Every structure is written in C-alpha cells, then in structure tokens.
Amino acid sequence: MASTDETGQAARHASQAGTTPPTGPPAVAGPGARMPRWLPRAMVLALALIAAFQLGSWAFHQLTGLLINVLIAFFLALAIEPAVSWMAVRGMRRGFATLLVFLAVLIAAAGFVTLLGSMLAGQIVKMVEDFPDYLDSVINWVNGHFHTELRRVDIQEGLLRSDWLRNYVQNSATGVLDVSAQVLGGLFQLLTVLLFSFYFAADGPRLRRGLCSVLPPARQAEVLRAWEIAVDKTGGYLYSRGLMALISGVAHYILLEILEVPYAPALAVWVGLVSQFIPTIGTYLAGALPMLIAFTVNPWYALWVLIFVVIYQQFENYVLQPKLTSKTVDIHPAVAFGSVIAGTALLGAVGALIAIPAVATLQAFLGAYVKRYDVTDDPRVHGRRERRSVSGTSTRLRKLWARRPEQGRTGAEGSEGPGDGGASSSS
C-alpha cells in the first residue's frame, strides 16, 4: 500500500510539473481478437477488380480486330455521310442512297484494281519474254570483260538442278495454303467493314437518336456538334484528296503520254491515289513505279519523270493544297506527318489513313473551347527583329564625330562676326 501511494503521489507531482508519465508497452491482441469488419470486404473488392481487369484485357485483345474494323467502318460512314444526306434531302431513301454511293465506290475501286492488274500482268509477261535477251546480254558482257566462256544453256541447267530452286519451290507450295487463308481473311474483313459502314451511314439519324437518348440535353448538343464536325472534316478530307488525286493523275498522265511510256492511264491513277492518301512522302513513293517503267524505255525518261515529280510536289504543297484544304482539314504539314506516324505505330496502315481526319476533327472540336486573344504587334511575332541600339564606345565616337563638323561651322561663324564688326566700324 505504501508503494502504491508513493507512485500515485509521484504521478500527481509529475502532472502538476507539466510532464506526462511514461506510457507502458502497447497491448498485444490476444488469440481471440477479431479482424476489422471492412477488411474482408476490401479484399473481396480488390479481387473482383483484378478479375474484371483481367477479363476486360483478355476480351479487348480478342476483339481488337473487330474494333479496328468498326473504327474503319465508322470513318468510312462519316466520309460518305454528306453524299448520302444530300440525296436523302432530295427525297431519296437513306438506304437506297447509301447503296448507290457504295456501288460507285466499288466500281471505282474495281476499275483501279483492273487497270493496275493489267499493267502489272503486261509488264511481267514482257519481262518473261525478254528475259533470254537480257540474260544473253549479261553473259556477253561478262565474257567480254572477264574472258570467260559462259553459255546460257549451262546457266539454265545449273539453276534447274540447284538446291536453292528446289527448296524455294517446296516452300512456295507449302505457303499456298497460308496465302489462301490470308486472302479469305482479308475478304471477310472487307465484308465486315462494308456491312458496318452501310448500317452506320443508312441508320445515322437513328444511331444519333439512340446515343442522345441516354444523355442530358446539354450533353446531347455537344455530342451532335462533335458528330457534325467529324462528318465535315472526314468528308472534306476525302473529297479534297480525291480532287487533288484527279489533278495529279491528269498531270502525270500528260507527261507519260508525251514520253510514250506504256500503261500511262494505269500509272497516272496509281500516282494520283498513292500520292494523296499517303501524306508528305506519298508523291515520291508513287513516282517510283513510273520511273522504273520509264527506265525500261529510256534511262533519260526516268530522270525527266523524277524532275517532274519533284516540281509537282512543290506546286502541290505551296499552291494547290492550301487552296483546296483551307476550309476542310487546315492543319500544319508537320502535324499531319506526325499524326500519320503515330497512327501507323498504333494501328498500322489503317491508322495512317484515318490519322489526318481524326486529328483535324479533334483540333476543330477543341478549338471551340480554347479562348483566343488578339496577337500583339511586336515584330518578333511576325518573324522580324528590330535593330537594337548598341550603346558603348563606338556609339559615343559616332556621336562626337557627327558633332565635330557642327562645332567647326559654329566656331567659324563666331570668328567672322567680330572681324566683320571691326571692318564696318573702321569704314
């Protein structure tokens, strides 16, 4: 009892002195203690979120091909939306108008493929027919310069008996099935894209009504505005590119006809389409095929084609394109090229095709929410710089040198004044 009283008194004295007594070690939960009620729920929720994320990731990877096809179909529907709406306003049913637009696109694509295929087939047949002559010329050149005695018969027998040719034929035979499967898969994807794009274009108003029915009125206006911008930019992009492709094809056709290069119509269509739908470098890629065929006619013709391609590219970049695309997809060429690279990295060739209209749509939509101000008249904004006044010894020397003649003239006038006065007084 004495020790307890002394401890209590010491605690009271310590509390009166302003210090707290030392606390003992924390209590350890016994084996019968219960876990918090929120812990099982948190664990179950975390496991459910992880499972949902894994399931969503698996489903996304499985449906990537379908999602890309739907994206292509959506942009294709946006591209033909103005033409379908124009015919629908004049009393034609949207389904029938969409069918007519699709038939026109398919006929144009089939004509292009037919022209290109006939050109390639003719060139391949010509190469096969002229191959013995090419081989004889090469053999004669080798025999004349290296003093050998090669014969075409020996070379042909060596090629036919070589293991390389046998292995190549076997690999080609085994790869026929893979090529057939890829072709069938490509046709199925094409039909999928056409089907979705047909429904997107034909049922566009119904699709917009269904989307707006789950949104408040303010959000509905924003969605409809974004949809309208996307239609204008995508359709304008394709139509302006089609017009430039027509101009480019006609210009290159005239050149190829003047040079008498074979298959000039097919080559002109090739240059027009490839140069416009592959931005920035498409002209040079498209010009490679006409240069190659012109080289078979005359090597100098290939040089003329190259010069024309370079000059026309500059004319298109600085004269033609700004006038045709100023009201449709007015974006900087560097932004267009960067968007194509980014789209190619994300979605391959599909991303390269839809990158520019997508970026133009995003730029136009965000431009409405960005507050702009009047630009100052500072010359640095317009790319000009004013000459700054250089202060220092050189400036002071120039000022002194400018004052020196003035001081000389002033002194001369001052010295002449009294002299004149004395002369007058003497007189």
Side-chain angles (χ1 to χ4, degrees):
M1 292 295 295
S3 60
T4 306
D5 295 337
E6 292 176 357
T7 304
Q9 292 177 1
R12 285 194 297 273
H13 286 300
S15 61
Q16 292 175 2
T19 59
T20 57
T23 58
V28 180
R34 300 175 60 185
M35 70 174 61
R37 296 181 178 179
W38 57 267
L39 186 57
R41 297 178 182 178
M43 295 176 63
V44 172
L45 181 61
L47 293 176
L49 290 176
I50 294 173
F53 177 78
Q54 294 292 335
L55 181 61
S57 178
W58 174 81
F60 178 79
H61 285 88
Q62 294 295 323
L63 298 176
T64 300
L66 178 61
L67 295 177
I68 292 176
N69 291 335
V70 171
L71 182 63
I72 299 172
F74 178 72
F75 273 94
L76 182 59
L78 292 179
I80 65 175
E81 176 73 19
V84 174
S85 298
W86 182 82
M87 288 187 286
V89 168
R90 283 156 179 78
M92 190 178 296
R93 296 180 58 184
R94 289 190 65 90
F96 186 68
T98 306
L99 181 61
L100 290 181
V101 174
F102 267 91
L103 287 177
V105 173
L106 290 177
I107 291 173
F112 171 71
V113 172
T114 302
L115 287 175
L116 187 62
S118 62
M119 179 193 67
L120 293 177
Q123 290 299 116
I124 292 173
V125 170
K126 184 178 179 181
M127 290 176 61
V128 171
E129 292 177 352
D130 296 340
F131 181 75
D133 298 333
Y134 292 149
L135 185 59
D136 289 337
S137 62
V138 172
I139 291 173
N140 294 330
W141 184 84
V142 172
N143 291 334
H145 287 77
F146 297 98
H147 304 288
T148 58
E149 295 180 358
L150 296 176
R151 293 185 305 171
R152 188 176 67 181
V153 178
D154 298 335
I155 295 176
Q156 291 177 351
E157 291 180 355
L159 288 175
L160 292 175
R161 295 178 182 178
S162 63
D163 296 334
W164 173 82
L165 183 61
R166 188 181 301 108
N167 294 331
Y168 178 77
V169 172
Q170 292 177 356
N171 294 331
S172 300
T174 55
V176 169
L177 295 177
D178 297 336
V179 173
S180 302
Q182 292 179 0
V183 170
L184 292 177
L187 291 176
F188 180 76
Q189 290 182 358
L190 179 61
L191 292 176
T192 303
V193 169
L194 292 178
L195 183 63
F196 274 108
S197 59
F198 178 83
Y199 283 120
F200 285 156
D203 293 339
R206 184 185 303 175
L207 180 62
R208 288 191 286 270
R209 287 195 300 268
L211 182 62
C212 293
S213 63
V214 296
L215 297 174
R219 297 296 181 184
Q220 292 179 13
E222 296 298 329
V223 169
L224 292 177
R225 184 173 178 276
W227 193 294
E228 190 67 23
I229 290 175
V231 170
D232 293 339
K233 295 300 178 180
T234 306
Y237 169 74
L238 290 180
Y239 296 149
S240 61
R241 288 290 171 178
L243 183 58
M244 287 192 293
L246 178 62
I247 298 173
S248 176
V250 171
H252 287 84
Y253 172 75
I254 294 173
L255 173 68
L256 296 175
E257 280 291 335
I258 293 174
L259 298 178
E260 296 182 355
V261 177
Y263 305 103
L267 290 175
V269 174
W270 164 265
V271 172
L273 292 179
V274 175
S275 63
Q276 299 308 318
F277 292 98
I278 300 180
T280 306
I281 60 173
T283 301
Y284 305 104
L285 294 178
L289 184 59
M291 286 175 56
L292 180 61
I293 296 179
F295 185 83
T296 60
V297 179
N298 191 339
W300 288 103
Y301 289 174
L303 180 60
W304 283 112
V305 172
L306 176 61
I307 294 174
F308 182 82
V309 166
V310 173
I311 295 176
Y312 183 82
Q313 177 69 20
Q314 304 308 315
F315 167 76
E316 181 182 286
N317 289 339
Y318 295 102
V319 178
L320 187 62
Q321 184 173 353
K323 292 183 178 180
L324 294 180
T325 61
S326 59
K327 296 181 180 180
T328 55
V329 285
D330 189 13
I331 60 178
H332 195 273
V335 178
F337 185 65
S339 63
V340 170
I341 294 177
T344 305
L346 293 175
L347 298 176
V350 176
L353 290 176
I354 67 176
I356 292 181
V359 171
T361 302
L362 181 62
Q363 177 181 346
F365 186 72
L366 294 179
Y369 298 95
V370 177
K371 188 176 181 180
R372 298 184 180 273
Y373 302 92
D374 294 334
V375 180
T376 181
D377 292 333
D378 195 316
R380 291 171 293 182
V381 176
H382 304 286
R384 300 188 301 270
R385 288 186 175 271
E386 293 180 348
R387 295 183 62 183
R388 298 180 179 178
S389 58
V390 181
S391 60
T393 307
S394 60
T395 305
R396 289 195 295 270
L397 289 175
R398 285 197 298 268
K399 290 181 179 179
L400 291 174
W401 185 261
R403 292 177 182 177
R404 186 176 179 181
E406 297 177 359
Q407 292 177 356
R409 287 194 299 270
T410 305
E413 294 174 358
S415 62
E416 291 175 359
D420 294 341
S424 60
S425 62
S426 63
S427 62

